[in-house]
Amino acid sequence: MSRLQGFISQLFTATDKLEASSDESLLGRYRTGDSAAFEILYARHRHGLYRFLLGLSGQAELADEVFQDTWLSLIRSGSQPQGRATFRTWLFQIARNRLIDHWRRHGSRQPLHERYDEQLHALSDDASDPEQLLSLSRDSLRLDSALQTLPADQREVFLLRAHGDLDLAQIASLTDTPLETVKSRLRYAQQKLRRLLAEEVLT
């Protein structure tokens, strides 16, 4: 093997190892000046984070703005996830806080702080996995339309599960909500979306 081939082989091996690293390890490497580590983090999470913000805000322009603010906050900050928080949970927490900040700055209605009787939204059909519900929709516009019919707190839990890939305990911690409440919100959201998307398939 030539020296050039050996160098290329080492380069690919190093890249493969970097891509196999945990989010937390990549963040640590980025904090020490490894820009390639940030590129991998961004590639891993950009789609899910943007879909979460778009679904929660219902506005593409606002989702774009908060998405950029979230990554800029991460870049400018020297902080790390605290305690048992994962990088993903921490990233989505930053995004959620930035969106709430935007609503406050602009005097907008803050749907995440609204209260409602969750029992009113209970349906009798069985819950489906978020990924199955996402695949039921013919296109993203119809799914987005269905999502906007949900109360904001239910929509947020569904989006964090579907696009953030967070477990229920992580969602409870991120939203500062009791675990049983998170479970019920996800269940009601899944039930309503399942009914709406099933009706869409039949029409």
Side-chain angles (χ1 to χ4, degrees), residues 33-82:
D34 188 344
S35 60
F38 177 80
E39 290 173 12
I40 294 171
L41 274 176
Y42 181 78
R44 278 184 189 175
H45 298 288
R46 64 190 180 99
H47 292 300
L49 184 67
Y50 180 77
R51 293 298 302 168
F52 164 70
L53 288 167
L54 180 61
L56 197 55
S57 68
Q59 302 172 42
E61 186 175 343
L62 177 54
D64 286 336
E65 179 183 334
V66 176
F67 177 83
Q68 292 177 42
D69 284 348
T70 300
W71 288 106
L72 285 172
S73 294
L74 185 149
I75 289 168
R76 291 169 180 161
S77 167
S79 61
Q80 306 269 15
Q82 299 298 310

mmCIF file of all heavy atoms in Angstrom, residues 33-82:
data_model
loop_
_atom_site.group_PDB
_atom_site.id
_atom_site.type_symbol
_atom_site.label_atom_id
_atom_site.label_comp_id
_atom_site.label_asym_id
_atom_site.label_seq_id
_atom_site.Cartn_x
_atom_site.Cartn_y
_atom_site.Cartn_z
ATOM 1 N N GLY A 33 -12.319 22.666 19.733
ATOM 2 C CA GLY A 33 -11.899 23.193 18.443
ATOM 3 C C GLY A 33 -12.049 22.274 17.246
ATOM 4 O O GLY A 33 -11.608 22.607 16.148
ATOM 5 N N ASP A 34 -12.713 21.118 17.423
ATOM 6 C CA ASP A 34 -12.894 20.171 16.320
ATOM 7 C C ASP A 34 -14.174 20.509 15.565
ATOM 8 O O ASP A 34 -15.275 20.122 15.963
ATOM 9 C CB ASP A 34 -12.955 18.742 16.888
ATOM 10 C CG ASP A 34 -12.960 17.680 15.796
ATOM 11 O OD1 ASP A 34 -13.218 18.028 14.618
ATOM 12 O OD2 ASP A 34 -12.724 16.506 16.120
ATOM 13 N N SER A 35 -14.051 21.248 14.469
ATOM 14 C CA SER A 35 -15.232 21.679 13.715
ATOM 15 C C SER A 35 -15.945 20.512 13.046
ATOM 16 O O SER A 35 -17.161 20.559 12.827
ATOM 17 C CB SER A 35 -14.841 22.725 12.671
ATOM 18 O OG SER A 35 -13.898 22.192 11.755
ATOM 19 N N ALA A 36 -15.218 19.443 12.706
ATOM 20 C CA ALA A 36 -15.849 18.270 12.090
ATOM 21 C C ALA A 36 -16.849 17.633 13.042
ATOM 22 O O ALA A 36 -17.884 17.097 12.613
ATOM 23 C CB ALA A 36 -14.796 17.248 11.682
ATOM 24 N N ALA A 37 -16.567 17.709 14.348
ATOM 25 C CA ALA A 37 -17.485 17.145 15.338
ATOM 26 C C ALA A 37 -18.808 17.904 15.326
ATOM 27 O O ALA A 37 -19.890 17.307 15.429
ATOM 28 C CB ALA A 37 -16.853 17.192 16.730
ATOM 29 N N PHE A 38 -18.737 19.227 15.177
ATOM 30 C CA PHE A 38 -19.968 20.016 15.110
ATOM 31 C C PHE A 38 -20.773 19.671 13.856
ATOM 32 O O PHE A 38 -21.995 19.574 13.898
ATOM 33 C CB PHE A 38 -19.668 21.514 15.122
ATOM 34 C CG PHE A 38 -20.900 22.357 14.980
ATOM 35 C CD1 PHE A 38 -21.710 22.601 16.071
ATOM 36 C CD2 PHE A 38 -21.273 22.867 13.743
ATOM 37 C CE1 PHE A 38 -22.872 23.351 15.942
ATOM 38 C CE2 PHE A 38 -22.429 23.614 13.596
ATOM 39 C CZ PHE A 38 -23.225 23.861 14.709
ATOM 40 N N GLU A 39 -20.090 19.495 12.745
ATOM 41 C CA GLU A 39 -20.780 19.162 11.491
ATOM 42 C C GLU A 39 -21.579 17.873 11.634
ATOM 43 O O GLU A 39 -22.700 17.762 11.123
ATOM 44 C CB GLU A 39 -19.769 19.040 10.356
ATOM 45 C CG GLU A 39 -19.146 20.367 9.949
ATOM 46 C CD GLU A 39 -18.030 20.209 8.929
ATOM 47 O OE1 GLU A 39 -17.893 19.105 8.359
ATOM 48 O OE2 GLU A 39 -17.302 21.188 8.705
ATOM 49 N N ILE A 40 -21.014 16.902 12.351
ATOM 50 C CA ILE A 40 -21.719 15.627 12.547
ATOM 51 C C ILE A 40 -22.919 15.833 13.458
ATOM 52 O O ILE A 40 -24.015 15.309 13.198
ATOM 53 C CB ILE A 40 -20.755 14.566 13.112
ATOM 54 C CG1 ILE A 40 -19.691 14.230 12.070
ATOM 55 C CG2 ILE A 40 -21.512 13.304 13.522
ATOM 56 C CD1 ILE A 40 -18.561 13.360 12.585
ATOM 57 N N LEU A 41 -22.740 16.592 14.534
ATOM 58 C CA LEU A 41 -23.853 16.890 15.443
ATOM 59 C C LEU A 41 -24.990 17.583 14.691
ATOM 60 O O LEU A 41 -26.162 17.221 14.842
ATOM 61 C CB LEU A 41 -23.389 17.802 16.575
ATOM 62 C CG LEU A 41 -22.771 17.171 17.814
ATOM 63 C CD1 LEU A 41 -22.303 18.262 18.763
ATOM 64 C CD2 LEU A 41 -23.753 16.239 18.506
ATOM 65 N N TYR A 42 -24.634 18.570 13.893
ATOM 66 C CA TYR A 42 -25.640 19.328 13.137
ATOM 67 C C TYR A 42 -26.384 18.411 12.167
ATOM 68 O O TYR A 42 -27.622 18.455 12.079
ATOM 69 C CB TYR A 42 -24.960 20.469 12.389
ATOM 70 C CG TYR A 42 -25.920 21.329 11.593
ATOM 71 C CD1 TYR A 42 -26.709 22.279 12.218
ATOM 72 C CD2 TYR A 42 -26.020 21.176 10.206
ATOM 73 C CE1 TYR A 42 -27.591 23.060 11.489
ATOM 74 C CE2 TYR A 42 -26.890 21.960 9.477
ATOM 75 C CZ TYR A 42 -27.672 22.902 10.118
ATOM 76 O OH TYR A 42 -28.552 23.670 9.392
ATOM 77 N N ALA A 43 -25.648 17.570 11.454
ATOM 78 C CA ALA A 43 -26.274 16.652 10.495
ATOM 79 C C ALA A 43 -27.207 15.673 11.192
ATOM 80 O O ALA A 43 -28.270 15.327 10.657
ATOM 81 C CB ALA A 43 -25.199 15.898 9.714
ATOM 82 N N ARG A 44 -26.833 15.235 12.377
ATOM 83 C CA ARG A 44 -27.658 14.268 13.110
ATOM 84 C C ARG A 44 -28.995 14.852 13.548
ATOM 85 O O ARG A 44 -30.006 14.148 13.572
ATOM 86 C CB ARG A 44 -26.921 13.798 14.370
ATOM 87 C CG ARG A 44 -25.917 12.717 14.157
ATOM 88 C CD ARG A 44 -25.332 12.267 15.494
ATOM 89 N NE ARG A 44 -24.207 11.376 15.281
ATOM 90 C CZ ARG A 44 -23.444 10.902 16.254
ATOM 91 N NH1 ARG A 44 -23.696 11.252 17.515
ATOM 92 N NH2 ARG A 44 -22.450 10.103 15.985
ATOM 93 N N HIS A 45 -28.989 16.116 13.939
ATOM 94 C CA HIS A 45 -30.159 16.651 14.646
ATOM 95 C C HIS A 45 -30.931 17.731 13.913
ATOM 96 O O HIS A 45 -32.012 18.109 14.357
ATOM 97 C CB HIS A 45 -29.710 17.196 16.009
ATOM 98 C CG HIS A 45 -29.126 16.152 16.903
ATOM 99 N ND1 HIS A 45 -29.886 15.176 17.506
ATOM 100 C CD2 HIS A 45 -27.833 15.902 17.255
ATOM 101 C CE1 HIS A 45 -29.093 14.383 18.227
ATOM 102 N NE2 HIS A 45 -27.858 14.799 18.082
ATOM 103 N N ARG A 46 -30.418 18.215 12.797
ATOM 104 C CA ARG A 46 -31.059 19.373 12.175
ATOM 105 C C ARG A 46 -32.481 19.080 11.686
ATOM 106 O O ARG A 46 -33.379 19.907 11.869
ATOM 107 C CB ARG A 46 -30.200 19.941 11.048
ATOM 108 C CG ARG A 46 -29.988 19.023 9.867
ATOM 109 C CD ARG A 46 -28.916 19.588 8.923
ATOM 110 N NE ARG A 46 -28.691 18.723 7.788
ATOM 111 C CZ ARG A 46 -29.218 18.912 6.589
ATOM 112 N NH1 ARG A 46 -29.990 19.951 6.367
ATOM 113 N NH2 ARG A 46 -28.973 18.070 5.609
ATOM 114 N N HIS A 47 -32.690 17.919 11.071
ATOM 115 C CA HIS A 47 -34.027 17.639 10.524
ATOM 116 C C HIS A 47 -35.061 17.495 11.628
ATOM 117 O O HIS A 47 -36.147 18.091 11.559
ATOM 118 C CB HIS A 47 -33.995 16.379 9.656
ATOM 119 C CG HIS A 47 -33.217 16.546 8.384
ATOM 120 N ND1 HIS A 47 -33.549 17.478 7.425
ATOM 121 C CD2 HIS A 47 -32.110 15.917 7.921
ATOM 122 C CE1 HIS A 47 -32.686 17.416 6.425
ATOM 123 N NE2 HIS A 47 -31.800 16.473 6.706
ATOM 124 N N GLY A 48 -34.739 16.696 12.650
ATOM 125 C CA GLY A 48 -35.693 16.486 13.735
ATOM 126 C C GLY A 48 -35.986 17.777 14.478
ATOM 127 O O GLY A 48 -37.148 18.050 14.825
ATOM 128 N N LEU A 49 -34.943 18.573 14.719
ATOM 129 C CA LEU A 49 -35.130 19.828 15.448
ATOM 130 C C LEU A 49 -35.996 20.792 14.653
ATOM 131 O O LEU A 49 -36.904 21.424 15.208
ATOM 132 C CB LEU A 49 -33.771 20.466 15.740
ATOM 133 C CG LEU A 49 -33.818 21.745 16.584
ATOM 134 C CD1 LEU A 49 -34.291 21.437 17.993
ATOM 135 C CD2 LEU A 49 -32.453 22.415 16.614
ATOM 136 N N TYR A 50 -35.746 20.896 13.353
ATOM 137 C CA TYR A 50 -36.536 21.815 12.537
ATOM 138 C C TYR A 50 -37.995 21.367 12.466
ATOM 139 O O TYR A 50 -38.911 22.181 12.590
ATOM 140 C CB TYR A 50 -35.960 21.936 11.125
ATOM 141 C CG TYR A 50 -36.777 22.883 10.270
ATOM 142 C CD1 TYR A 50 -36.661 24.263 10.438
ATOM 143 C CD2 TYR A 50 -37.692 22.399 9.342
ATOM 144 C CE1 TYR A 50 -37.427 25.135 9.682
ATOM 145 C CE2 TYR A 50 -38.465 23.268 8.583
ATOM 146 C CZ TYR A 50 -38.326 24.632 8.762
ATOM 147 O OH TYR A 50 -39.100 25.502 8.026
ATOM 148 N N ARG A 51 -38.217 20.056 12.287
ATOM 149 C CA ARG A 51 -39.594 19.553 12.212
ATOM 150 C C ARG A 51 -40.331 19.800 13.529
ATOM 151 O O ARG A 51 -41.526 20.103 13.535
ATOM 152 C CB ARG A 51 -39.599 18.057 11.874
ATOM 153 C CG ARG A 51 -39.091 17.708 10.492
ATOM 154 C CD ARG A 51 -39.931 18.302 9.387
ATOM 155 N NE ARG A 51 -41.313 17.882 9.464
ATOM 156 C CZ ARG A 51 -42.306 18.434 8.767
ATOM 157 N NH1 ARG A 51 -42.063 19.433 7.949
ATOM 158 N NH2 ARG A 51 -43.543 17.995 8.883
ATOM 159 N N PHE A 52 -39.621 19.668 14.642
ATOM 160 C CA PHE A 52 -40.222 19.950 15.949
ATOM 161 C C PHE A 52 -40.656 21.410 16.024
ATOM 162 O O PHE A 52 -41.794 21.713 16.408
ATOM 163 C CB PHE A 52 -39.202 19.634 17.058
ATOM 164 C CG PHE A 52 -39.548 20.219 18.386
ATOM 165 C CD1 PHE A 52 -40.629 19.736 19.118
ATOM 166 C CD2 PHE A 52 -38.793 21.255 18.926
ATOM 167 C CE1 PHE A 52 -40.950 20.280 20.361
ATOM 168 C CE2 PHE A 52 -39.107 21.801 20.160
ATOM 169 C CZ PHE A 52 -40.182 21.315 20.883
ATOM 170 N N LEU A 53 -39.768 22.331 15.652
ATOM 171 C CA LEU A 53 -40.086 23.750 15.733
ATOM 172 C C LEU A 53 -41.181 24.154 14.760
ATOM 173 O O LEU A 53 -42.054 24.965 15.098
ATOM 174 C CB LEU A 53 -38.817 24.574 15.471
ATOM 175 C CG LEU A 53 -37.780 24.549 16.592
ATOM 176 C CD1 LEU A 53 -36.449 25.126 16.110
ATOM 177 C CD2 LEU A 53 -38.292 25.309 17.811
ATOM 178 N N LEU A 54 -41.150 23.590 13.568
ATOM 179 C CA LEU A 54 -42.186 23.895 12.581
ATOM 180 C C LEU A 54 -43.541 23.394 13.062
ATOM 181 O O LEU A 54 -44.549 24.095 12.979
ATOM 182 C CB LEU A 54 -41.835 23.261 11.230
ATOM 183 C CG LEU A 54 -42.836 23.511 10.096
ATOM 184 C CD1 LEU A 54 -42.960 25.002 9.793
ATOM 185 C CD2 LEU A 54 -42.419 22.748 8.847
ATOM 186 N N GLY A 55 -43.563 22.169 13.585
ATOM 187 C CA GLY A 55 -44.826 21.617 14.059
ATOM 188 C C GLY A 55 -45.371 22.367 15.256
ATOM 189 O O GLY A 55 -46.589 22.556 15.386
ATOM 190 N N LEU A 56 -44.479 22.818 16.147
ATOM 191 C CA LEU A 56 -44.929 23.494 17.358
ATOM 192 C C LEU A 56 -45.378 24.922 17.082
ATOM 193 O O LEU A 56 -46.378 25.387 17.616
ATOM 194 C CB LEU A 56 -43.794 23.501 18.387
ATOM 195 C CG LEU A 56 -44.174 23.804 19.838
ATOM 196 C CD1 LEU A 56 -45.254 22.856 20.333
ATOM 197 C CD2 LEU A 56 -42.964 23.720 20.732
ATOM 198 N N SER A 57 -44.639 25.621 16.205
ATOM 199 C CA SER A 57 -44.968 27.024 15.935
ATOM 200 C C SER A 57 -46.026 27.176 14.847
ATOM 201 O O SER A 57 -46.789 28.141 14.851
ATOM 202 C CB SER A 57 -43.717 27.791 15.518
ATOM 203 O OG SER A 57 -43.257 27.349 14.250
ATOM 204 N N GLY A 58 -46.046 26.237 13.904
ATOM 205 C CA GLY A 58 -46.986 26.336 12.785
ATOM 206 C C GLY A 58 -46.610 27.398 11.776
ATOM 207 O O GLY A 58 -47.401 27.725 10.895
ATOM 208 N N GLN A 59 -45.392 27.936 11.874
ATOM 209 C CA GLN A 59 -44.953 29.009 10.974
ATOM 210 C C GLN A 59 -43.530 28.720 10.515
ATOM 211 O O GLN A 59 -42.607 28.689 11.338
ATOM 212 C CB GLN A 59 -44.973 30.361 11.687
ATOM 213 C CG GLN A 59 -46.322 30.756 12.251
ATOM 214 C CD GLN A 59 -46.219 32.014 13.101
ATOM 215 O OE1 GLN A 59 -45.530 32.968 12.731
ATOM 216 N NE2 GLN A 59 -46.894 32.030 14.229
ATOM 217 N N ALA A 60 -43.349 28.563 9.217
ATOM 218 C CA ALA A 60 -42.027 28.232 8.677
ATOM 219 C C ALA A 60 -41.002 29.320 8.975
ATOM 220 O O ALA A 60 -39.862 29.033 9.339
ATOM 221 C CB ALA A 60 -42.118 27.998 7.166
ATOM 222 N N GLU A 61 -41.396 30.590 8.832
ATOM 223 C CA GLU A 61 -40.453 31.686 9.065
ATOM 224 C C GLU A 61 -39.988 31.707 10.521
ATOM 225 O O GLU A 61 -38.793 31.881 10.804
ATOM 226 C CB GLU A 61 -41.115 33.022 8.702
ATOM 227 C CG GLU A 61 -40.166 34.205 8.763
ATOM 228 C CD GLU A 61 -40.814 35.495 8.288
ATOM 229 O OE1 GLU A 61 -41.864 35.454 7.631
ATOM 230 O OE2 GLU A 61 -40.246 36.562 8.600
ATOM 231 N N LEU A 62 -40.927 31.521 11.448
ATOM 232 C CA LEU A 62 -40.572 31.500 12.868
ATOM 233 C C LEU A 62 -39.720 30.276 13.190
ATOM 234 O O LEU A 62 -38.743 30.370 13.944
ATOM 235 C CB LEU A 62 -41.849 31.502 13.719
ATOM 236 C CG LEU A 62 -41.663 31.404 15.228
ATOM 237 C CD1 LEU A 62 -40.724 32.493 15.745
ATOM 238 C CD2 LEU A 62 -43.016 31.484 15.929
ATOM 239 N N ALA A 63 -40.072 29.128 12.614
ATOM 240 C CA ALA A 63 -39.292 27.912 12.842
ATOM 241 C C ALA A 63 -37.854 28.109 12.364
ATOM 242 O O ALA A 63 -36.899 27.721 13.048
ATOM 243 C CB ALA A 63 -39.929 26.730 12.124
ATOM 244 N N ASP A 64 -37.677 28.740 11.201
ATOM 245 C CA ASP A 64 -36.332 29.027 10.675
ATOM 246 C C ASP A 64 -35.546 29.907 11.638
ATOM 247 O O ASP A 64 -34.374 29.656 11.927
ATOM 248 C CB ASP A 64 -36.418 29.736 9.318
ATOM 249 C CG ASP A 64 -36.835 28.804 8.198
ATOM 250 O OD1 ASP A 64 -36.623 27.591 8.327
ATOM 251 O OD2 ASP A 64 -37.364 29.305 7.189
ATOM 252 N N GLU A 65 -36.208 30.952 12.123
ATOM 253 C CA GLU A 65 -35.535 31.909 13.014
ATOM 254 C C GLU A 65 -35.096 31.229 14.315
ATOM 255 O O GLU A 65 -33.951 31.392 14.759
ATOM 256 C CB GLU A 65 -36.487 33.067 13.325
ATOM 257 C CG GLU A 65 -35.901 34.101 14.267
ATOM 258 C CD GLU A 65 -36.902 35.204 14.606
ATOM 259 O OE1 GLU A 65 -37.813 35.467 13.793
ATOM 260 O OE2 GLU A 65 -36.767 35.786 15.705
ATOM 261 N N VAL A 66 -35.997 30.482 14.923
ATOM 262 C CA VAL A 66 -35.680 29.841 16.200
ATOM 263 C C VAL A 66 -34.653 28.723 15.999
ATOM 264 O O VAL A 66 -33.786 28.501 16.839
ATOM 265 C CB VAL A 66 -36.966 29.303 16.877
ATOM 266 C CG1 VAL A 66 -36.629 28.549 18.161
ATOM 267 C CG2 VAL A 66 -37.922 30.455 17.172
ATOM 268 N N PHE A 67 -34.746 28.029 14.874
ATOM 269 C CA PHE A 67 -33.769 26.987 14.547
ATOM 270 C C PHE A 67 -32.360 27.573 14.513
ATOM 271 O O PHE A 67 -31.432 27.040 15.117
ATOM 272 C CB PHE A 67 -34.137 26.375 13.192
ATOM 273 C CG PHE A 67 -33.179 25.330 12.688
ATOM 274 C CD1 PHE A 67 -33.271 24.017 13.109
ATOM 275 C CD2 PHE A 67 -32.187 25.664 11.766
ATOM 276 C CE1 PHE A 67 -32.383 23.043 12.634
ATOM 277 C CE2 PHE A 67 -31.303 24.705 11.296
ATOM 278 C CZ PHE A 67 -31.408 23.394 11.732
ATOM 279 N N GLN A 68 -32.214 28.699 13.815
ATOM 280 C CA GLN A 68 -30.899 29.340 13.729
ATOM 281 C C GLN A 68 -30.447 29.863 15.092
ATOM 282 O O GLN A 68 -29.274 29.719 15.468
ATOM 283 C CB GLN A 68 -30.945 30.479 12.714
ATOM 284 C CG GLN A 68 -31.122 29.996 11.281
ATOM 285 C CD GLN A 68 -31.245 31.137 10.288
ATOM 286 O OE1 GLN A 68 -30.528 32.125 10.381
ATOM 287 N NE2 GLN A 68 -32.159 31.005 9.338
ATOM 288 N N ASP A 69 -31.386 30.459 15.852
ATOM 289 C CA ASP A 69 -31.052 30.960 17.188
ATOM 290 C C ASP A 69 -30.566 29.834 18.091
ATOM 291 O O ASP A 69 -29.668 30.022 18.918
ATOM 292 C CB ASP A 69 -32.267 31.631 17.832
ATOM 293 C CG ASP A 69 -32.549 33.010 17.262
ATOM 294 O OD1 ASP A 69 -31.683 33.534 16.535
ATOM 295 O OD2 ASP A 69 -33.635 33.557 17.541
ATOM 296 N N THR A 70 -31.181 28.666 17.958
ATOM 297 C CA THR A 70 -30.815 27.520 18.794
ATOM 298 C C THR A 70 -29.375 27.103 18.542
ATOM 299 O O THR A 70 -28.582 26.936 19.480
ATOM 300 C CB THR A 70 -31.762 26.335 18.516
ATOM 301 O OG1 THR A 70 -33.105 26.725 18.825
ATOM 302 C CG2 THR A 70 -31.375 25.115 19.355
ATOM 303 N N TRP A 71 -29.008 26.950 17.281
ATOM 304 C CA TRP A 71 -27.644 26.532 16.959
ATOM 305 C C TRP A 71 -26.640 27.626 17.300
ATOM 306 O O TRP A 71 -25.525 27.331 17.765
ATOM 307 C CB TRP A 71 -27.540 26.136 15.484
ATOM 308 C CG TRP A 71 -28.211 24.834 15.191
ATOM 309 C CD1 TRP A 71 -29.392 24.645 14.538
ATOM 310 C CD2 TRP A 71 -27.760 23.523 15.566
ATOM 311 N NE1 TRP A 71 -29.701 23.310 14.479
ATOM 312 C CE2 TRP A 71 -28.719 22.589 15.102
ATOM 313 C CE3 TRP A 71 -26.645 23.052 16.252
ATOM 314 C CZ2 TRP A 71 -28.586 21.222 15.285
ATOM 315 C CZ3 TRP A 71 -26.506 21.681 16.453
ATOM 316 C CH2 TRP A 71 -27.471 20.777 15.972
ATOM 317 N N LEU A 72 -27.014 28.888 17.097
ATOM 318 C CA LEU A 72 -26.112 29.981 17.466
ATOM 319 C C LEU A 72 -25.892 30.016 18.970
ATOM 320 O O LEU A 72 -24.780 30.275 19.446
ATOM 321 C CB LEU A 72 -26.674 31.330 16.986
ATOM 322 C CG LEU A 72 -26.561 31.592 15.486
ATOM 323 C CD1 LEU A 72 -27.312 32.867 15.101
ATOM 324 C CD2 LEU A 72 -25.087 31.710 15.073
ATOM 325 N N SER A 73 -26.942 29.738 19.737
ATOM 326 C CA SER A 73 -26.809 29.683 21.195
ATOM 327 C C SER A 73 -25.836 28.592 21.598
ATOM 328 O O SER A 73 -25.004 28.774 22.493
ATOM 329 C CB SER A 73 -28.173 29.421 21.848
ATOM 330 O OG SER A 73 -29.042 30.497 21.641
ATOM 331 N N LEU A 74 -25.935 27.445 20.937
ATOM 332 C CA LEU A 74 -25.033 26.345 21.243
ATOM 333 C C LEU A 74 -23.592 26.715 20.885
ATOM 334 O O LEU A 74 -22.669 26.438 21.656
ATOM 335 C CB LEU A 74 -25.473 25.098 20.478
ATOM 336 C CG LEU A 74 -24.707 23.804 20.757
ATOM 337 C CD1 LEU A 74 -25.633 22.608 20.591
ATOM 338 C CD2 LEU A 74 -23.516 23.646 19.824
ATOM 339 N N ILE A 75 -23.412 27.358 19.740
ATOM 340 C CA ILE A 75 -22.067 27.734 19.287
ATOM 341 C C ILE A 75 -21.436 28.760 20.229
ATOM 342 O O ILE A 75 -20.269 28.649 20.596
ATOM 343 C CB ILE A 75 -22.134 28.287 17.848
ATOM 344 C CG1 ILE A 75 -22.441 27.154 16.864
ATOM 345 C CG2 ILE A 75 -20.834 28.993 17.467
ATOM 346 C CD1 ILE A 75 -22.816 27.632 15.472
ATOM 347 N N ARG A 76 -22.235 29.757 20.626
ATOM 348 C CA ARG A 76 -21.695 30.844 21.456
ATOM 349 C C ARG A 76 -21.488 30.432 22.904
ATOM 350 O O ARG A 76 -20.679 31.027 23.612
ATOM 351 C CB ARG A 76 -22.651 32.037 21.400
ATOM 352 C CG ARG A 76 -22.680 32.713 20.032
ATOM 353 C CD ARG A 76 -23.814 33.702 19.952
ATOM 354 N NE ARG A 76 -23.859 34.365 18.649
ATOM 355 C CZ ARG A 76 -24.933 34.983 18.171
ATOM 356 N NH1 ARG A 76 -26.054 35.015 18.885
ATOM 357 N NH2 ARG A 76 -24.905 35.553 16.987
ATOM 358 N N SER A 77 -22.244 29.451 23.338
ATOM 359 C CA SER A 77 -22.168 29.031 24.736
ATOM 360 C C SER A 77 -21.037 28.030 24.935
ATOM 361 O O SER A 77 -20.720 27.242 24.053
ATOM 362 C CB SER A 77 -23.499 28.385 25.146
ATOM 363 O OG SER A 77 -23.370 27.722 26.373
ATOM 364 N N GLY A 78 -20.460 28.057 26.116
ATOM 365 C CA GLY A 78 -19.444 27.057 26.447
ATOM 366 C C GLY A 78 -20.008 25.980 27.339
ATOM 367 O O GLY A 78 -19.278 25.123 27.836
ATOM 368 N N SER A 79 -21.331 26.002 27.533
ATOM 369 C CA SER A 79 -21.946 25.067 28.478
ATOM 370 C C SER A 79 -22.172 23.695 27.863
ATOM 371 O O SER A 79 -22.079 23.499 26.651
ATOM 372 C CB SER A 79 -23.266 25.639 29.004
ATOM 373 O OG SER A 79 -24.163 25.839 27.930
ATOM 374 N N GLN A 80 -22.476 22.764 28.731
ATOM 375 C CA GLN A 80 -22.721 21.366 28.357
ATOM 376 C C GLN A 80 -24.035 20.928 28.985
ATOM 377 O O GLN A 80 -24.527 21.579 29.917
ATOM 378 C CB GLN A 80 -21.600 20.473 28.904
ATOM 379 C CG GLN A 80 -20.205 20.892 28.517
ATOM 380 C CD GLN A 80 -19.743 20.224 27.239
ATOM 381 O OE1 GLN A 80 -20.544 19.672 26.497
ATOM 382 N NE2 GLN A 80 -18.455 20.268 26.975
ATOM 383 N N PRO A 81 -24.621 19.817 28.516
ATOM 384 C CA PRO A 81 -25.804 19.279 29.199
ATOM 385 C C PRO A 81 -25.490 19.015 30.666
ATOM 386 O O PRO A 81 -24.407 18.531 30.992
ATOM 387 C CB PRO A 81 -26.077 17.975 28.436
ATOM 388 C CG PRO A 81 -25.446 18.174 27.098
ATOM 389 C CD PRO A 81 -24.249 19.031 27.343
ATOM 390 N N GLN A 82 -26.430 19.341 31.535
ATOM 391 C CA GLN A 82 -26.213 19.190 32.963
ATOM 392 C C GLN A 82 -26.881 17.925 33.500
ATOM 393 O O GLN A 82 -27.916 17.491 32.996
ATOM 394 C CB GLN A 82 -26.769 20.411 33.718
ATOM 395 C CG GLN A 82 -26.107 21.721 33.320
ATOM 396 C CD GLN A 82 -24.621 21.731 33.627
ATOM 397 O OE1 GLN A 82 -24.209 21.411 34.729
ATOM 398 N NE2 GLN A 82 -23.814 22.107 32.630
#
